[in-house]
Amino acid sequence: MTTNAKEPRSRLDPEPVPRRDWLGLSSLWAMGGALLFGLAGMLKLPKAAVLASPSKKFRVAIPENLPVGEAFVPPGRAVAVFKDTDGVYAVSTICTHLGCVVKPNAEGFECPCHGSKFAVNGDVKKGPAPRPLPWLKVTNNGGQLTIDEGTTVPNGTKVA
Amino acid sequence: MNTVEPKSKALQEFAGNLKSLPDRFRESAFRTGAPTTDRTRSTFVFGNVFLHLHAVRTHRWSLRWTTTLGLGIMSVSAFLIALVTGVMLMFYYKPYPEAAYQSIKDIHFVVPTGRLIRNLHRWSANIMVIAVILHMARAFYTAAYRRPREYNWLMGMGLLVLTLGLSFTGYLLPWDQLAYWAITIGANIAQSPREITDALGITEYFDPGGFQRLLLLGSDQVGAEALIRFYLLHVMILPLVLAALMGVHFWRIRKDGGMVRPLDADARLAQRRSEETYPVFTEAPAKTYQLAAIVRGRTAQTGRGPENTVPSMPHLFYAELGVLMLTLLICLALSLVSDAPLKELANPSVPENPAKAPWYFLGLQELVSFSAFMGGIGIPMIVLVGLGLIPYLDRETEGTGRWFGGPGGWPLVRLSMVVGLCAPTVIEAFAIRFGWLREWFPAIPQLVVTVINPATLLTAIYALYSLWCIRRYESVRSGALALFTCFLCGFLVLTIIGTYFRGPNWVFYWSPAEWPKH
């Protein structure tokens, strides 16, 4: 549609956007977009593609005469290894409440931070812990046991 | 003779200039002379970039010590002491595991005055937390948050959160057992939204808890990445944000009309006339003297002089300086009496038992020992939102500027103190004696425990009591008085229980003497 300059403009005609307003608005939106884009990039910064942490898999040799129901804790690891007639299993000793390391005792585990108590199989008996202690993946490679702290298995999975 | 004279004249001038150099230098720095008259006292304030945040004249009500108790200035003073000593500590501190611990040990035992500086840093941080909380209580009980000061109340809450954040991030830096396990707990509180997402079974797709923890630690465990992040937050990001907010906070005090004062402040002050107060304008001004913006119309100040005010220099500044020196004195005395603790080097496989957070978080730790999400995130968020809404919900005017002002007044606060102290004591006693849902029904879904636990019960009791107060006194302010008093009392009771009555495995003991030996 072309408008004849001589004809008076109808009030129904759309108001054309003045050039200055258009320039101002477009630069404003461009700035906003660039800021958002930069912010999105910055938000990715704190999460590295590879997280700095030691290997989760480790080999373990449990004592030959480990009594049934007694926990063996490999030095420096937050894992309790048990052995019974069905086989070997490993229970994580990191409390599911707030991450303290629980201590094995005769009845199960006790958390020093907020008083959660767990049964030997990891079930919550008392306190604020929301979930049972997870069981960890154990692989038996011709007598050589490997525990993977990064992989959980359904509670009750034992390896012969 | 004639040929030598001009030369010696210049030389004489030079010698004279040299002689008057100190005077000229002083003049150039302090352009307006000693603050001995009203005029020079004013220019002393607005001619100085640091002082001109203050008004040139201060209302006499603001200078009564019961108006503010000096708590705001005490908070700033503690921050300044922490800032100076913190920069000194940075000369020796190395933010890397083990090296961090060794460097703190060096500061404590090898660096000359290092121990005093570290003690001062720690005590000023503690004093700052206390002063900020008390300052908030002062602002609340004198109803200083009301219009036009609502926004500054929000700024103050931001400063409270930043103060706690600064203290908490500083807690990790020594990399001892205390630090390591406090941060482990803190990071897992950040992760605790998983309590909800796990219960709903959506953690795999939507995991804000895990993201928060990762953001804090930069790894899946507390290590070098976490230490450098906490260090960066502690020495750079949080202090910068805090300083910026502080600037806004102070500026708004002036823009919002100075310290809050009751409507009858002038009448009450008139009973004790001071020789310092005299009419500043001998004839009533026809125009505003506070010409901040040139607009049509009259401002509230037209026709009135600044009655009942005294020059800020020296009255206000000397008072502020006094509070600064008092704060310094308190910090120094505490630093000489009590050393900052340093436990064994952090050991990721053996937690401290009991592992306790800094004292001002022990109330939260008590709540967290029922539900990680509710105690660590849910209830604190409810408290913060509640506190932030107070100035926008209480639109009354009765009692502004008076201690415990508002319908109900001091008797209501007294009653609220009884409720606020009894409710958590009874609930805690019950939970300690009889246990909670998980002990009675081991198979109960976690969501039920998250929603119904001593922490939420306490919050509900406080909220219902406050609603009852609103109805009884027909006043929102009364409800706010009740709720805020309950909040302070609950904080106190839980902090005391967490500090003195919790031993190894977070079991209740009447005194640390009963703790089992191990």
Side-chain angles (χ1 to χ4, degrees):
Chain A
M1 187 185 86
T2 53
T3 357
N4 189 344
K6 282 168 193 166
E7 249 174 43
R9 240 159 48 83
S10 155
R11 66 185 173 82
L12 294 177
D13 277 351
E15 179 80 17
V17 181
R19 197 176 350 175
R20 271 168 211 221
D21 282 9
W22 186 84
L23 279 173
L25 282 173
S26 60
S27 55
L28 210 66
W29 278 103
M31 204 168 77
L35 276 177
L36 270 181
F37 195 71
L39 197 69
M42 260 159 67
L43 277 178
K44 288 191 78 81
L45 174 77
K47 190 186 170 184
V50 178
L51 295 180
S53 79
S55 169
K56 302 261 176 213
K57 278 187 188 174
F58 63 97
R59 288 176 177 179
V60 64
I62 54 176
E64 286 295 321
N65 51 354
L66 185 71
V68 173
E70 189 168 308
F72 169 69
V73 179
R77 298 281 175 176
V79 175
V81 190
F82 294 92
K83 189 179 176 183
D84 61 17
T85 45
D86 294 336
V88 178
Y89 59 99
V91 179
S92 162
T93 56
I94 295 175
C95 184
T96 51
H97 177 228
L98 290 176
C100 290
V101 175
V102 298
K103 217 170 154 188
N105 58 21
E107 295 107 57
F109 303 93
E110 240 184 325
C111 180
C113 293
H114 303 98
S116 290
K117 279 183 184 161
F118 302 89
V120 181
N121 67 356
D123 283 348
V124 187
K125 288 202 299 190
K126 175 183 179 288
R131 278 172 291 117
L133 293 173
W135 288 33
L136 302 174
K137 191 179 176 188
V138 182
T139 37
N140 188 347
N141 199 351
Q144 175 63 63
L145 294 174
T146 306
I147 296 175
D148 182 1
E149 284 182 292
T151 314
T152 57
V153 291
N155 289 15
T157 315
K158 296 175 185 178
V159 175
Chain B
M1 209 55 189
N2 275 354
T3 49
V4 188
E5 218 169 27
K7 204 175 164 189
S8 78
K9 216 173 179 180
L11 265 179
Q12 268 172 6
E13 214 176 287
F14 175 71
N17 287 354
L18 211 57
K19 223 172 95 186
S20 63
L21 196 62
D23 284 339
R24 281 303 280 262
F25 180 75
R26 200 170 53 237
E27 265 173 48
S28 74
F30 309 101
R31 288 166 304 190
T32 48
T36 45
T37 65
D38 264 13
R39 174 176 289 277
T40 48
R41 280 171 173 177
S42 292
T43 50
F44 184 83
V45 179
F46 69 71
N48 182 306
V49 67
F50 301 107
L51 296 182
H52 88 285
L53 203 56
H54 296 83
V56 293
R57 296 185 71 84
T58 307
H59 198 279
R60 277 175 61 215
W61 188 270
S62 307
L63 289 171
R64 285 163 40 117
W65 75 272
T66 48
T67 303
T68 62
L69 304 178
L71 289 165
I73 295 293
M74 187 175 254
S75 313
V76 188
S77 307
F79 174 68
L80 289 178
I81 298 169
L83 192 73
V84 172
T85 50
V87 170
M88 288 178 182
L89 291 173
M90 282 171 74
F91 277 99
Y92 283 99
Y93 179 74
K94 303 173 189 73
Y96 196 78
E98 311 228 351
Y101 182 75
Q102 297 304 336
S103 64
I104 295 286
K105 233 174 161 176
D106 282 350
I107 288 169
H108 205 89
F109 294 105
V110 181
V111 177
T113 71
R115 184 183 307 195
L116 180 67
I117 289 168
R118 177 163 180 251
N119 289 349
L120 272 173
H121 192 67
R122 178 215 181 205
W123 276 115
S124 59
N126 276 306
I127 295 285
M128 186 176 168
V129 171
I130 297 173
V132 166
I133 292 174
L134 290 180
H135 176 59
M136 179 170 79
R138 193 282 298 171
F140 177 83
Y141 283 121
T142 55
Y145 55 77
R146 281 176 178 163
R147 198 172 165 135
R149 297 180 179 81
E150 308 105 310
Y151 189 70
N152 222 13
W153 170 263
L154 290 186
M155 292 292 107
M157 281 181 47
L159 287 168
L160 171 70
V161 172
L162 285 167
T163 304
L164 293 177
L166 266 170
S167 282
F168 184 65
T169 49
Y171 211 67
L172 173 67
L173 305 184
W175 203 253
D176 61 349
Q177 275 287 70
L178 205 62
Y180 185 90
W181 290 102
I183 301 311
T184 303
I185 292 171
N188 281 297
I189 287 177
Q191 196 190 32
S192 66
R194 274 200 185 166
E195 200 176 306
I196 303 285
T197 52
D198 273 346
L200 299 173
I202 54 169
T203 305
E204 225 175 295
Y205 318 103
F206 178 69
D207 184 16
F211 177 72
Q212 286 189 68
R213 183 183 142 96
L214 187 66
L215 207 63
L216 268 183
L217 297 187
S219 166
D220 53 5
Q221 57 194 42
V222 180
E225 302 290 330
L227 182 51
I228 202 87
R229 276 176 198 208
F230 275 72
Y231 179 69
L232 183 66
L233 281 171
H234 187 73
V235 305
M236 185 62 72
I237 297 174
L238 294 181
L240 278 181
V241 180
L242 187 92
L245 265 192
M246 250 166 42
V248 177
H249 196 63
F250 301 160
W251 180 75
R252 282 298 292 242
I253 294 174
R254 195 177 159 184
K255 291 289 153 186
D256 294 342
M259 290 302 143
V260 70
R261 55 179 178 271
L263 285 174
D264 58 350
D266 289 322
R268 280 163 73 178
L269 284 172
Q271 292 162 6
R272 289 193 306 133
R273 276 221 84 82
S274 155
E275 288 185 8
E276 296 284 345
T277 27
Y278 42 81
V280 178
F281 293 160
T282 44
E283 45 196 277
K287 285 182 186 169
T288 168
Y289 63 87
Q290 199 182 28
L291 197 65
I294 300 170
V295 288
R296 198 189 285 270
R298 289 155 63 91
T299 76
Q301 300 289 358
T302 312
R304 287 202 291 131
E307 309 95 340
N308 255 329
T309 57
V310 288
S312 298
M313 173 69 205
H315 295 84
L316 178 63
F317 293 140
Y318 281 19
E320 291 186 349
L321 205 63
V323 176
L324 171 68
M325 294 317 284
L326 181 71
T327 313
L328 190 58
L329 192 72
I330 294 172
C331 292
L332 203 58
L334 288 168
S335 302
L336 292 172
V337 173
S338 158
D339 276 350
L342 186 64
K343 301 240 173 170
E344 303 83 25
L345 180 65
N347 180 354
S349 49
V350 182
E352 269 289 283
N353 194 1
K356 293 202 177 183
W359 64 266
Y360 37 84
F361 282 136
L362 281 182
L364 279 186
Q365 195 171 349
E366 187 60 37
L367 296 186
V368 157
S369 73
F370 303 115
S371 157
F373 174 74
M374 263 306 157
I377 294 185
I379 305 274
M381 286 318 266
I382 292 173
V383 168
L384 282 180
V385 171
L387 287 176
L389 284 180
I390 285 177
Y392 296 95
L393 295 179
D394 168 19
R395 298 176 196 169
E396 294 161 24
T397 49
E398 190 190 328
T400 301
R402 267 193 300 119
W403 275 91
F404 311 111
W410 171 240
L412 168 64
V413 173
R414 215 168 39 198
L415 176 68
S416 307
M417 273 163 77
V418 176
V419 174
L421 291 173
C422 287
T425 314
V426 171
I427 293 176
E428 280 282 325
F430 177 84
I432 287 166
R433 179 70 184 78
F434 300 107
W436 202 252
L437 292 168
R438 177 71 65 197
E439 282 100 306
W440 308 332
F441 318 104
I444 198 168
Q446 179 58 32
L447 218 49
V448 178
V449 183
T450 304
V451 175
I452 304 172
N453 61 51
T456 53
L457 200 63
L458 184 64
T459 313
I461 289 176
Y462 283 173
L464 287 176
Y465 168 69
S466 306
L467 288 176
W468 177 78
C469 284
I470 293 181
R471 235 187 72 180
R472 182 177 159 192
Y473 293 95
E474 281 298 318
S475 154
V476 179
R477 166 71 174 166
S478 300
L481 273 174
L483 194 60
F484 190 82
T485 310
C486 283
F487 157 69
L488 281 188
C489 292
F491 176 78
L492 192 71
V493 170
L494 293 172
T495 305
I496 288 175
I497 293 177
T499 309
Y500 296 108
F501 296 106
R502 291 294 191 178
N505 297 347
W506 210 248
V507 173
F508 180 87
Y509 292 99
W510 283 107
S511 91
E514 296 175 11
W515 290 11
K517 303 272 179 294
H518 49 220

